[in-house]
Structure formats: structure tokens, C-alpha cells
């Protein structure tokens, strides 16, 4: 990691959103309290052998009961924005609007009202991995009917909270959810159905998203004036050998199968990337697969995904070097379709979890790629962070170094490259339940003491420094105005 200077106060434009993000299942706990229905993550964690040491989000940070403590953390950081997700099954225990749980509504009303009273703008995600179990029992994201059920849930949320919430994310990371949930089985619902369900799930997520965006556009936008998008995760990828055309096209494929899969339909053409379509069709022939198209087609009878995002919501964590491979060629799998092998550059440090190579400069490159490829959208970086595993260091110097380097890269993308970055959300406000890693991977700006019932939050060095950057920025903008 390079040693960078302090982030200058004038590095970011006026109105820049300074945020931190969380997700309901990772922080709320109280998994069956006050009428909440179970989600697929409750079921997944309650089965043994899925999560590190069989840990669960049953209690997590207990944000359902300790919201006021979270609010203090948000205020201490001086955030202008806070990204949270709603637990769908806390609001609608069986996933449908047949029954609305008043205690769930009251909880989120309090959270949203407290944020607004503290001059913090909420950005609200409707679904961050935790699909209601009752819907999973009806086929979940694999079932075509999910798009309409999601649309009803979205309309209910717009109607109930949209007078105050102006930034909405429909679905978080369809790539991660489809790949880990249905291809690799690492995330809920833990299915391993390689090369097939992954595309169906991604498709239904896009259909659900599009319907919800169109509902907002037609019925709520003129009254509420908010914006709606979908949060897309992507690595930045570069060819291992830039002079080898096969590595170059494997890298393009890698990006298309992660980001283009969702960004191309929404921001470019209303359809999947050409290279993804032809590759999957060619592989169907090669493997003699004849049970219908694996990559579904968008129906003309439904709203098209093109144009269904009012901004680009990007979650960036890491970068990869990519080389061409045919090693999974004979198997029906996403990997075989993608035909790209990832290689870690040995010069990139790894932070905590094995997949997380620390490459802040990859973010600037990815922002430029998005500007060029997806028609220069306004971009919110809706997640970006650094994890620790092992003995906790409250003086997390390396994490702060990472944030400083990253913010420098973002500022260069804005100032030098003309990318329209409108905000940055650190992942995450406080240590929480890191999915299959349980509590051992800590991404927080606040430390949480999971060994005691009070679940005390204590600011890390990185949290203090992030607060100082935000405060310097705010003072600078005030001075500029006078
Ligand atoms: C997810 C977060 C997660 C983070 C770190 C993202 O994929 O949206 O929920 O905690 O990565 O793994």
C-alpha cells in the first residue's frame, strides 16, 4: 500500500454524500421478535455447517433494540447519508402485503425519522440477500411470480416511507446473490445448481427491479421526487498478459459476466451483453444442453430494464488479474461459461478475508470504465471497505491507510477524469455478521464487542479519521459559500 497524504478538504464537490452502509440481517438481530417472519438467512444459519462456527444473525448487533446506539455512531461520524436495508419479512412476515406487521413499520419509521431529525439522508435498500422464507417456499427468486410480489412490496415501501426516503436501492448485488446462493451454495438459500439457476435468478431480480422502478416512476416520483437504482458489485479486472489477445478477451468476458450482466440491460441496451449471450449459446451446443435457453430472454410484454436506474450504485471491493482458461470447459457451470481464471497479483496485500486484495487504484479505473461503458452516469459508491481477521486492533492504521488511498483515488476520478461520483458509503458502520464468515471478519468503522450482551460500539481509529475528513470537507464548503 502506498503512503498517501491526508485527504484534502477541497477534494470533493459540494453536495457530495458522505455515508456508511449496513444491511438488516447483518445488524438487526431479534430474528423472530415482534411478529417478524423468518428469512432465508435465518433458515440457512440455523442449519449446521453453513457458517463459520455455526454462527447466526439471531442477535448480531441487536440494532432492532439498540438503534439509538447506532444513531450515536452515525452522528459521531458526521455522516450526511446512511444506507440501511429493510428486512422484508419484518415488514411483511410472509413476503406479501396480505399482512403488514405494524411493529416492523414502527421500527423503520423511527429509524428514518431519527435520521432525518439528525440531518442524515437515508438511502434504503429493499432487499439485501434476506428473502422471506415463505417466498422461498414458493420457489423464491427462481419463480417468475417473484417479480410481481417484489413489486407489491416495493410499492408498499414507497407508499409508507417514500415521503421521507429519497434514495432507493431495489436489490443489492444480484451477481453475488445469484452466484453464491444458487451456483456455489455459499450463501442462502445454499443451492448448488451450476450453470442454470444462476441466470434465472439474475433474470428474475432484473425483472423485479424493473417493475419496481416503473412503479415508482409512474406513481410516486411526481409526489415524492426520489431516485431509484439497483446496487451492482464489481471487481476491476485486467488481463494477466495484456499482449495476449486471449487474456484480453477473457478479461472482457469476466467483466461482462459480473457487471455487464446487469449493467448492460439497465444502462445500455435493454438486453444482456452480446458476448455473454453468444458465449452461453455456444456452450449449450458444445455441451449438448437442450433444455431451453439458460440465459432467459426479456419478454416484450413486460417493462424493459433499459433506463431503470436514476443513478449507478456501485459496490467495489477488489481487483483481479485475468487469464483465459478452458479448464472448466466440459462442465455445465457459470465458471465454464465465463472461461476466465483469476490470478492474484502478489504485490496486492490481502486484508482479512482471502478474496479481499487491497487495490484502491482499481476503483478509479473501474469508475472510468463505468463512465465510458455505461453512458457517464452519476455514480454513488454504495459499498467499499476493508476487513480485519484475528486480534482486534482498535488502532486500525492499515484500514485508515486503505480509506485514505481510496478517497484519493475517488477524488482523482472526479477532478482529473471527470467521472460524476456523487457519494461514497463506507462498508460498514460497525462490525457485524459477515455472512458465511460469521463475526470473525470485521469491516466496521466501529468495533462491536460481541462477547458481552451490551454489544458496546467503540470507534476505531479509521472511524475517527473518516469523521475528520467529513468535517474538514463540510467546513471547506461552508467557507466557500461565504
Ligand atoms: C455485501 C455486504 C458484505 C460485503 C463484504 C458485499 O458483497 O453487500 O453485505 O458484508 O460485501 O463481504
Amino acid at each position: 500500500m502506498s503512503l498517501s497524504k491526508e485527504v484534502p478538504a477541497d477534494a470533493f464537490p459540494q453536495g457530495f454524500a458522505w455515508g456508511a452502509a449496513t444491511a438488516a440481517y447483518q445488524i438487526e438481530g431479534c430474528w423472530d421478535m415482534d411478529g417478524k417472519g423468518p428469512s432465508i438467512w435465518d433458515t440457512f444459519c440455523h442449519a449446521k455447517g453453513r457458517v463459520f462456527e455455526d454462527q447466526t444473525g439471531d442477535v448480531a448487533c441487536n440494532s432492532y433494540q439498540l438503534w439509538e446506539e447506532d444513531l450515536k455512531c452515525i452522528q459521531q461520524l458526521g455522516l450526511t447519508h446512511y444506507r440501511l436495508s429493510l428486512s422484508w419479512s419484518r415488514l411483511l412476515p410472509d413476503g406479501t402485503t396480505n399482512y403488514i406487521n405494524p411493529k416492523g413499520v414502527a421500527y423503520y419509521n423511527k429509524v428514518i425519522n431519527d435520521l432525518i431529525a439528525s440531518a442524515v439522508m437515508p438511502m434504503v435498500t429493499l432487499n439485501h440477500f434476506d428473502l422471506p422464507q415463505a417466498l422461498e417456499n414458493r420457489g423464491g427468486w427462481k419463480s417468475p411470480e417473484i417479480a410481481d410480489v417484489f413489486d407489491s412490496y416495493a410499492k408498499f415501501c414507497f407508499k409508507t416511507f417514500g415521503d421521507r426516503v429519497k434514495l432507493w436501492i431495489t436489490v443489492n448485488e444480484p451477481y453475488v446473490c445469484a452466484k453464491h446462493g444458487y451456483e456455489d451454495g455459499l450463501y442462502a438459500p445454499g443451492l448448488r445448481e451450476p450453470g442454470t439457476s444462476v441466470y434465472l435468478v439474475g433474470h428474475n431480480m432484473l425483472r423485479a427491479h424493473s417493475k419496481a422502478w416503473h412503479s415508482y416512476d409512474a406513481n410516486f416520483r411526481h409526489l415524492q421526487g426520489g431516485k431509484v437504482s439497483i446496487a451492482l458489485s464489481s471487481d476491476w479486472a485486467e488481463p494477466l498478459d495484456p499482449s495476449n489477445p486471449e487474456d484480453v478477451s477473457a478479461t472482457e468476458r469476466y467483466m461482462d459476466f459480473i457487471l455487464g450482466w446487469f449493467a448492460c440491460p439497465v444502462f445500455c441496451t435493454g438486453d444482456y451483453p452480446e458476448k455473454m449471450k453468444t458465449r452461453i449459446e455456444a456452450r449449450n451446443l458444445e455441451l449438448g444442453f437442450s433444455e431451453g435457453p439458460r440465459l432467459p430472454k426479456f419478454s416484450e410484454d413486460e417493462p424493459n430494464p433499459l433506463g431503470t436506474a436514476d443513478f449507478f450504485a456501485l459496490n467495489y471491493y477488489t481487483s483481479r488479474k485475468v487469464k483465459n482458461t478452458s479448464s472448466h470447459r466440459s462442465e455445465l457451470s457459470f465458471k465454464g461459461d465465463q472461461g476466465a481464471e483469476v490470478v492474484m497479483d502478489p504485490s496486492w496485500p490481502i486484508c482479512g478475508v482471502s478474496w479481499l486484495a487491497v487495490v484502491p487504484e482499481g476503483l478509479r479505473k473501474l469508475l472510468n470504465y463505468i463512465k465510458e461503458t455505461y453512458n457517464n452516469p452519476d455514480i454513488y459508491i454504495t459499498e467499499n471497505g476493508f476487513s480485519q481477521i484475528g486480534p482486534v486492533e482498535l488502532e486500525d492504521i492499515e484500514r485508515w491507510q486503505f480509506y485514505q488511498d481510496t478517497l484519493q483515488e475517488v477524488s482523482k476520478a472526479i477532478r482529473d477524469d471527470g467521472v460524476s461520483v456523487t457519494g461514497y458509503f463506507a462498508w460498514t458502520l460497525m462490525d457485524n455478521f459477515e455472512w458465511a464468515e460469521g463475526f470473525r471478519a470485521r469491516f466496521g468503522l466501529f468495533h462491536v464487542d460481541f462477547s458481552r450482551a451490551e454489544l458496546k460500539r467503540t470507534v476505531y481509529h479509521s472511524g475517527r479519521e473518516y469523521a475528520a475528513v467529513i468535517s474538514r470537507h463540510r467546513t471547506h464548503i461552508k467557507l466557500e459559500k461565504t
Side-chain angles (χ1 to χ4, degrees), residues 178-218:
K179 174 88 173 4
H180 286 350
Y182 301 81
E183 174 90 8
D184 309 331
L186 300 174
Y187 281 14
L191 302 179
R192 287 200 181 97
E193 298 172 346
T196 51
S197 298
V198 67
Y199 301 117
L200 180 60
V201 164
H203 189 71
N204 285 333
M205 288 185 150
L206 270 174
R207 290 178 52 239
H209 159 77
S210 304
K211 287 197 181 208
W213 185 90
H214 280 284
S215 293
Y216 190 84
D217 200 47

Side-chain angles (χ1 to χ4, degrees), residues 208-337:
H209 159 77
S210 304
K211 287 197 181 208
W213 185 90
H214 280 284
S215 293
Y216 190 84
D217 200 47
N219 307 312
F220 298 94
R221 192 189 297 282
H222 65 289
L223 300 169
Q224 301 182 347
K227 293 181 177 173
V228 182
S229 189
I230 176 168
L232 304 182
S233 55
S234 188
D235 301 343
W236 171 244
E238 286 175 5
L240 183 65
D241 175 2
S243 68
N244 177 346
E246 292 206 320
D247 285 2
V248 173
S249 42
T251 307
E252 288 168 5
R253 264 200 315 276
Y254 184 81
M255 292 300 291
D256 271 350
F257 272 77
I258 295 183
L259 185 59
W261 180 7
F262 301 99
C264 185
V266 172
F267 291 92
C268 286
T269 63
D271 199 0
Y272 295 116
E274 276 312 311
K275 284 189 192 126
M276 192 173 175
K277 292 198 296 185
T278 49
R279 175 86 183 181
I280 295 175
E281 272 161 33
R283 297 247 316 140
N284 282 347
L285 288 177
E286 204 173 296
L287 299 167
F289 183 88
S290 55
E291 295 156 37
R294 287 191 290 134
L295 189 62
K297 292 194 190 335
F298 292 103
S299 154
E300 292 191 351
D301 305 331
E302 286 195 332
N304 186 269
L306 184 62
T308 61
D310 304 315
F311 56 92
F312 201 109
L314 171 70
N315 295 355
Y316 168 80
Y317 284 91
T318 194
S319 293
R320 295 287 184 256
K321 291 277 162 77
V322 172
K323 70 175 196 179
N324 185 44
T325 179
S326 48
S327 60
H328 297 276
R329 219 178 169 98
S330 60
E331 66 188 41
L332 184 66
S333 70
F334 182 87
K335 252 195 174 156
D337 296 336

Side-chain angles (χ1 to χ4, degrees), residues 26 128-129 172-173 176 315 317 355 383 427 434-435 443:
Q26 294 180 274
H128 195 124
F129 301 167
N172 183 65
E173 298 188 346
V176 171
N315 295 355
Y317 284 91
W355 56 269
E383 279 182 38
W427 182 269
E434 177 47 31
W435 308 115
F443 276 87

